[in-house]
Amino acid sequence: MLGYHIHVENNQYHDAIRQLHSEGATTGAFAVKESSPNLASKFQKACQECDIDPKTIPVHCCLCMNCASSEDRKYKSARRIVVKEMKACAQLGVGMYVLHPGSAIGKGSKEEAIQNTIETINYAIEKTDDVIVCVENMCGGVKGGKSKQLGKTFEDLAAIINGVDNKDRVGVCLDTCHAFSAGYDIRTEEGFNKVLEEFETVIGMQYLKCLHINDSLVPLGHGADRHEVVGKGHVGIEAFKYVMKHPVLKGLPKIIESRSRKAHDDGPVYEMTLLKSF
C-alpha cells in the first residue's frame, strides 16, 4: 500500500481519494478537521469506487498543538483537538490517526510530558471508537538547541505505549526521515535491519502500523525535521529498496510526504513510480 499526503480543500475528502487513485496511489493521508454524515457518505463511496480501504489511511494530526505541554491551557486545547479529529476520523471510517507526541516545554520534566501525552491518548480513546492512535517518531531537535521533543528514541515511544490502557488502539508511525535525523542509521539493508531489530526489542513489531517514507535533507543525527525527495537526500536509495522489499513492512501503509507537489521529477508521483519499481 503506497500513497502520499495530499492537501484537502474545504473538507472534500472524497475528491482527495479520487485524485490519489488517479495518480496510482493505493492509500493516502491528509488532515481531517471535521466531518459530517454527508461528507462521510461521499468519502466512503469514493473509497469503494477507487478500491482504497479507509482503514489503511493514516490521517495526520493538527501540527499546531502540544499534547505533552505542562501549560494547562495548551494541554487541554490539544486534548480537545485530538478528540475532535479522532471523532471525525471515526465518522469517515478512517483506521489510523497519526499523533506527534509533543514536547516537554515549560516547567514540567520529560517524564511528566510523557504522562501528559499518555493521558491525552487514553482520554481520546475513551471518547472515540475504533481509530488507532499511531504515535510518530520524531527527530528530537537540532543538537545544542532547546528542543525537548518527545519520540526521538524508541524508548520514548515504548513508554507512551506502555501507559496506554487499550493496547489494541495504539501503535507507531515510523518516519524514515525522523529516524535518520534522530540518529538511527538506516542507509543500508544491514543498518535498517538493525534498527528494525531494535524496534522489535524495545517496542514490539506488532505496534508498527504505518510508515512515512521520506528522505532527509540533513545528515545522520542532525536532529532537524527536513524532508527530501526519496533517493535525493542523505538517507539514499538503498534504504527505500529495503523498505519496499521487507516482508514485514510490505503490507503496511506507506505515505510519502514530499517537499514538492510537482508531478514530474521531484514530487510524490515520481516517488511512487520509483518505489513501485523496487
Side-chain angles (χ1 to χ4, degrees), residues 5-8 11 13 29-34 58-63 85 89 92:
H5 189 102
I6 186 171
H7 177 68
V8 175
N11 302 320
Y13 311 114
F30 42 82
V32 170
K33 295 182 179 180
E34 58 187 54
V59 158
H60 206 293
C61 71
C62 170
L63 296 178
E85 292 181 344
C89 288
L92 290 172

Side-chain angles (χ1 to χ4, degrees), residues 130-174:
D130 301 327
V131 183
I132 296 173
V133 179
C134 297
V135 185
E136 185 172 356
N137 65 304
M138 305 305 293
C139 299
V142 179
K143 290 179 180 179
K146 296 181 180 180
S147 175
K148 297 181 180 179
Q149 193 177 61
L150 305 181
K152 176 182 179 180
T153 66
F154 292 162
E155 285 77 10
D156 280 359
L157 301 178
I160 293 169
I161 290 171
N162 288 339
V164 174
D165 296 330
N166 187 345
K167 299 293 193 292
D168 291 335
R169 290 190 54 197
V170 67
V172 171
C173 172
L174 182 63

Side-chain angles (χ1 to χ4, degrees), residues 64-127:
C64 58
M65 66 176 185
N66 181 11
C67 59
S69 177
S70 61
E71 296 181 32
D72 190 60
R73 179 181 60 83
K74 291 182 179 179
Y75 168 71
K76 288 181 178 177
S77 174
R79 191 168 66 172
R80 285 194 297 270
I81 291 170
V82 172
V83 171
K84 179 182 177 181
E85 292 181 344
M86 283 183 63
K87 283 184 176 180
C89 288
Q91 188 170 55
L92 290 172
V94 166
M96 290 171 278
Y97 178 75
V98 176
L99 178 70
H100 284 193
S103 297
I105 297 172
K107 298 179 181 179
S109 66
K110 179 180 177 179
E111 290 71 25
E112 289 171 327
I114 287 175
Q115 188 57 40
N116 287 343
T117 298
I118 291 169
E119 290 177 4
T120 296
I121 294 172
N122 280 332
Y123 180 81
I125 287 174
E126 287 178 4
K127 297 292 182 181

Side-chain angles (χ1 to χ4, degrees), residues 3 19 74 104 129 133 162 184 201 217 233-234 250 255 260 264:
Q19 181 174 331
K74 291 182 179 179
D129 297 319
V133 179
N162 288 339
Y184 292 94
T201 300
L217 266 172
H234 287 272
K250 197 169 184 179
I255 304 298
S260 171
H264 50 280

